Amino acid sequence: MRMLPEVVKGTFRSKYFFFPACILLGWWGVVQCQSQGAADDEARAFGAQYQNLHDSVQYLGKEACRSCHADIYDSFLQTGMGRSFGEATLTRSKADWQGKHVIYDEQLDLYYQPFTADSALYIREFRLEGRDTVHNRVERISYIVGSGQHTNSHLININGYVYQLPLTYYTQEGRWDLPPGFEKGNNSRFARTIQTECMTCHNAYPTQVAGSEHKYHKIQEGIDCERCHGPGSLHVQEKLAGKIVDTSKGPDFSIVNPRRLPVTLQMSICQRCHMQGNAVLKPGKDFFDFKPGMLLHDVVSVYLPRYEGDQSSFTMASHPDRMMQSACFKKSGEQLSCISCHNPHKSIEVTPSVHYNNACGQCHTQKDPCSLPMAKRLTAQNNCVSCHMPKSGTSDIPHVTITDHWIRKPETEKSKAQRVFAGLASINEKRPDALTTATAWLQYFERFESKRVHLDSAAFYLEKAERKADKQAFFEAKVHWLYLKGDAPGMERWVKQQADAAGKATGWTAYRMAELLLQRNQQEQAALYFSKAVQSMPYQLDFQLKLALSDAQAQRLEPARKRLEKLLEEQPKYVSAMANLGFVCLQLGDDQRAEYWYRRGMALDPDNQAAIMNMIGLHLYRGKKAEAKRMLLDVLKKYPNHQQARHLLQYLSENA
């Protein structure tokens, strides 16, 4: 028995008076938990029969499948998954690259232009003052992500570090625009990192550099066979050895066939990528750990916000969640699954609508006919999906329409009550533990909506988790909570109380401890934890930067300079490192080198406030007060509330 997700509501500290749902379980809730636990154990036992779940079995890539499964291989390459990722070429793109399209970001006063030269694809960022170009940055595009059915987005690879570029082509409307999340003043330009969670859903598994979040040794092209069938080395080895299984009589346990799995395990495969939201990894797990044949919630629990009232809004990758809310899913005994309607080996672009109508007809026979008058049915071409799964825009991706997988009777506008936030729900785990739920609230605050009440909810579940959770995992979650609260005194006390756990802290936890300890003027202790963060994640560039700044604050200038120079060897376009390296060079008396790094940083990012203010400081160091005043006026024109610039300009005016 598999049950629908339960909404985990806010605590009594919220605007609305909610008791957490988990304390209202009662006897029936205990029975449900036991039933769910037994069902999960049964599913795990079934999945464990597949030998390619073993850690010794390797991923080979989709080419290894081609020789035996050529027809499926060729058709799969035409699907959205098969075309999900690849090198940036004109043939991969659905967009117009003639250079005539220019997108303007009014908030940042920056223009973006896609163009091609010598068959390579580029993006130009520029700024105008009158008719003069005062900023111009050109980057060659490394990868295109997205099949082009809805979008093509664009990535850049800088020495293995992958970032999203600030330009997306929206295929359905045939238009260029800023990418999702870059609008309304949130344009991160060339700095949005493509981390493991993103990369492992939009593509086959890459080979990631240990100790990094977005540096890769090797990146595959397109979601491949093994994402749904599991690693293939054992299967290939057995077939080459002549061990052939008659699958008409039973499964071949050397490779997962999703159609042979129980629906719970089937859905786990689809949910891994088609249910993106607030993904909470279980302690000790990462996004590479899930394999077909496993329960997804043994690796990650995915939370989405739930709303009372209007339910018409949904995110792009929420297909399983919407389907599971359908009466069709519930009345099927929760046996309806994604592959009840979809053939993952065939593109939906070439699948006729009658295929989906036939899927509906498996349950909705002549005994349960469509109630719509025939004339209206004919107007809709007798297409079930057009009425019961209408296309709609999404809440997170502009300029696209997709099919709503919540199968239901069409709603009227009158039935749509006001939309009110009700809480978070784990979509793939019925009864997540308290620590997982606490982490969900912390991540929701940090990534989506920074309301204090969400930290209160996190605190409630942390309190529930303290006695039962893994001690190290609980320590790190509480550090995260203290960090988001900005509670420096609380952090100092907690670190002292939990010295053993603090000594075992992972990269992000060590970083968070260091940041708040620095606010308490615990410079040596902060430097120790910045160092621990770097040891744990040496290719997390911001950790290296913070350790260098810690050295500089302690007047360890030569170690700081060397670390910053190594950072720029590692990532040559890291503007924050340039701004700080220039400052360290000036402290060492090398004003020429300081100017070099400031100007390099501002050429890449004309709005980098650290580089600009440091350049102003350099002008003052050289006695060039007029230049300093001119730059300060420019800063205040763009950032009227910049207090440091305002105070410095006032000082210069008073001491002219």
Side-chain angles (χ1 to χ4, degrees):
M1 176 181 178
R2 190 160 60 88
M3 291 162 287
L4 292 175
E6 172 186 282
V7 177
V8 180
K9 298 184 177 181
T11 71
F12 61 91
R13 298 177 183 134
S14 73
K15 179 180 177 182
Y16 306 98
F17 190 84
F18 287 138
F19 285 103
C22 61
I23 66 174
L24 303 177
L25 285 174
W27 173 83
W28 173 240
V30 173
V31 172
Q32 285 185 312
C33 288
Q34 290 172 344
S35 176
Q36 184 63 47
D40 286 352
D41 288 343
E42 186 177 342
R44 291 187 189 100
F46 188 96
Q49 297 176 91
Y50 287 91
Q51 298 159 13
N52 67 327
L53 268 64
H54 195 277
D55 291 342
S56 63
V57 183
Q58 303 298 309
Y59 291 96
L60 298 179
K62 60 181 179 288
E63 294 303 320
C65 309
R66 187 175 192 176
S67 60
C68 294
H69 304 282
D71 291 347
I72 292 175
Y73 175 93
D74 290 339
S75 67
F76 178 75
L77 286 189
Q78 304 309 311
T79 67
M81 290 186 288
R83 294 182 284 129
S84 63
F85 193 99
E87 291 188 4
T89 63
L90 281 169
T91 55
R92 275 201 53 81
S93 178
K94 295 289 185 74
D96 180 351
W97 291 90
Q98 296 179 33
K100 61 186 180 183
H101 298 278
V102 177
I103 303 304
Y104 180 55
D105 183 344
E106 185 176 357
Q107 298 287 332
L108 295 189
D109 187 27
L110 289 169
Y111 294 87
Y112 294 97
Q113 181 183 33
F115 69 97
T116 183
D118 298 326
S119 299
L121 307 183
Y122 294 88
I123 177 174
R124 175 183 286 114
E125 176 189 75
F126 62 98
R127 176 174 286 159
L128 300 175
E129 284 187 7
R131 306 180 93 179
D132 295 330
T133 301
V134 295
H135 165 68
N136 186 59
R137 177 174 177 176
V138 175
E139 295 289 354
R140 181 171 178 172
I141 299 168
S142 303
Y143 309 110
I144 294 175
V145 59
S147 67
Q149 183 181 338
H150 299 103
T151 64
N152 283 154
S153 288
H154 305 88
L155 311 180
I156 186 172
N157 185 329
I158 303 174
N159 194 30
Y161 294 92
V162 180
Y163 303 86
Q164 184 170 2
L165 295 169
L167 205 55
T168 288
Y169 184 72
Y170 295 90
T171 312
Q172 291 169 316
E173 294 187 5
R175 65 184 290 176
W176 286 97
D177 206 343
L178 293 171
F182 281 64
E183 322 94 323
K184 301 177 183 177
N186 296 313
N187 183 356
S188 50
R189 300 177 60 250
F190 303 89
R192 179 187 279 183
T193 58
I194 301 300
Q195 298 184 10
T196 312
E197 181 179 0
C198 298
M199 185 65 81
T200 56
C201 270
H202 286 285
N203 202 16
Y205 282 154
T207 306
Q208 191 165 6
V209 176
S212 75
E213 289 186 317
H214 69 288
K215 184 175 185 179
Y216 305 95
H217 287 300
K218 181 181 179 182
I219 298 175
Q220 312 293 338
E221 290 204 23
I223 294 167
D224 64 7
C225 314
E226 292 170 304
R227 293 307 308 276
C228 296
H229 295 279
S233 66
L234 175 65
H235 183 67
V236 170
Q237 178 185 335
E238 288 193 356
K239 301 318 130 190
L240 291 175
K243 186 177 179 180
I244 308 299
V245 176
D246 183 354
T247 54
S248 67
K249 297 180 179 178
D252 179 351
F253 286 111
S254 70
I255 194 86
V256 170
N257 180 346
R259 194 168 288 279
R260 292 184 179 273
L261 295 175
V263 171
T264 307
L265 297 180
Q266 279 184 26
M267 290 288 285
S268 285
I269 297 171
C270 303
Q271 288 171 336
R272 169 63 182 90
C273 292
H274 286 271
M275 197 175 65
Q276 295 176 5
N278 180 5
V280 181
L281 286 165
K282 297 303 177 77
K285 300 295 185 181
D286 64 39
F287 287 105
F288 293 96
D289 284 333
F290 174 75
K291 296 176 182 177
M294 296 172 61
L295 286 169
L296 181 61
H297 68 71
D298 285 344
V299 175
V300 61
S301 195
V302 183
Y303 287 76
L304 287 175
R306 282 288 189 249
Y307 299 91
E308 296 172 351
D310 182 10
Q311 302 293 328
S312 61
S313 181
F314 57 94
T315 59
M316 180 81 169
S318 60
H319 312 86
D321 174 42
R322 299 292 282 183
M323 186 193 73
M324 289 164 62
Q325 296 178 66
S326 306
C328 289
F329 175 78
K330 297 170 186 175
K331 290 181 180 180
S332 74
E334 302 188 4
Q335 294 304 300
L336 183 68
S337 75
C338 304
I339 61 177
S340 298
C341 299
H342 291 287
N343 179 350
H345 299 143
K346 297 281 187 182
S347 171
I348 62 170
E349 294 174 321
V350 298
T351 303
S353 60
V354 68
H355 168 82
Y356 301 108
N357 270 15
N358 289 341
C360 298
Q362 295 294 313
C363 296
H364 298 278
T365 62
Q366 291 299 320
K367 294 180 180 180
D368 183 21
C370 179
S371 61
L372 201 65
M374 182 56 71
K376 290 187 177 181
R377 287 172 60 182
L378 292 174
T379 301
Q381 298 180 328
N382 214 26
N383 183 346
C384 308
V385 170
S386 65
C387 287
H388 297 284
M389 301 173 66
K391 288 186 179 295
S392 172
T394 67
S395 60
D396 57 337
I397 312 290
H399 313 310
V400 302
T401 57
I402 66 167
T403 300
D404 184 358
H405 281 64
W406 187 339
I407 311 163
R408 52 184 167 163
K409 293 181 179 179
E411 285 188 307
T412 63
E413 289 299 320
K414 291 181 180 179
S415 70
K416 294 180 180 179
Q418 184 178 0
R419 178 179 163 100
V420 178
F421 178 72
L424 297 179
S426 173
I427 307 307
N428 65 311
E429 185 173 16
K430 180 58 183 175
R431 298 279 183 246
D433 62 77
L435 186 61
T436 300
T437 301
T439 304
W441 283 107
L442 292 171
Q443 292 183 177
Y444 191 71
F445 175 90
E446 189 169 40
R447 302 175 185 178
F448 300 101
E449 192 177 48
S450 299
K451 292 184 177 180
R452 191 74 175 192
V453 64
H454 301 328
L455 290 183
D456 292 342
S457 295
F460 176 87
Y461 287 100
L462 280 173
E463 186 176 346
K464 286 178 65 65
E466 187 167 8
R467 286 171 294 174
K468 295 183 179 179
D470 174 85
K471 289 185 179 180
Q472 187 67 31
F474 177 80
F475 169 81
E476 304 213 353
K478 186 163 181 179
V479 165
H480 195 180
W481 177 70
L482 290 165
Y483 173 77
L484 293 177
K485 281 185 65 183
D487 186 354
M491 182 72 81
E492 186 176 10
R493 289 193 300 271
W494 182 240
V495 171
K496 286 180 179 178
Q497 290 169 11
Q498 304 290 329
D500 288 345
K504 301 172 186 174
T506 57
W508 272 105
T509 300
Y511 168 81
R512 291 167 180 141
M513 290 191 295
E515 282 283 6
L516 288 192
L517 289 170
L518 204 57
Q519 292 183 22
R520 299 287 288 170
N521 292 318
Q522 300 286 337
Q523 291 191 3
E524 290 303 316
Q525 191 76 349
L528 171 66
Y529 287 115
F530 281 134
S531 181
K532 282 184 176 295
V534 167
Q535 289 170 18
S536 176
M537 301 177 68
Y539 296 98
Q540 170 53 271
L541 301 179
D542 290 345
F543 294 175
Q544 293 274 8
L545 178 64
K546 286 290 186 177
L547 184 56
L549 294 181
S550 178
D551 283 337
Q553 287 177 331
Q555 292 301 303
R556 296 188 290 267
L557 298 179
E558 272 302 320
R561 180 184 65 80
K562 290 178 180 178
R563 187 174 294 278
L564 290 165
E565 287 176 345
K566 286 192 70 174
L567 256 181
L568 287 164
E569 289 176 11
E570 179 68 20
Q571 211 285 51
K573 296 184 178 181
Y574 189 22
V575 175
S576 294
M578 294 176 187
N580 285 288
L581 179 54
F583 184 75
V584 170
C585 288
L586 186 59
Q587 287 185 296
L588 288 167
D590 190 346
D591 65 319
Q592 295 296 323
R593 201 65 182 159
E595 181 178 1
Y596 169 80
W597 287 114
Y598 295 158
R599 292 198 182 282
R600 272 195 64 178
M602 289 188 293
L604 291 170
D605 181 0
D607 300 324
N608 186 276
Q609 294 185 36
I612 293 168
M613 294 305 294
N614 285 353
M615 191 69 195
I616 291 169
L618 178 61
H619 285 317
L620 294 175
Y621 174 83
R622 291 172 169 173
K624 296 182 177 181
K625 293 184 178 180
E627 283 293 312
K629 287 184 71 173
R630 180 189 63 78
M631 288 188 71
L632 285 167
L633 289 170
D634 287 343
V635 170
L636 289 169
K637 182 179 178 181
K638 192 167 185 65
Y639 308 106
N641 297 319
H642 196 297
Q643 293 301 313
Q644 184 184 5
R646 185 169 298 283
H647 292 155
L648 189 53
L649 183 61
Q650 182 179 351
Y651 173 81
L652 290 176
S653 300
E654 291 173 353
N655 294 275

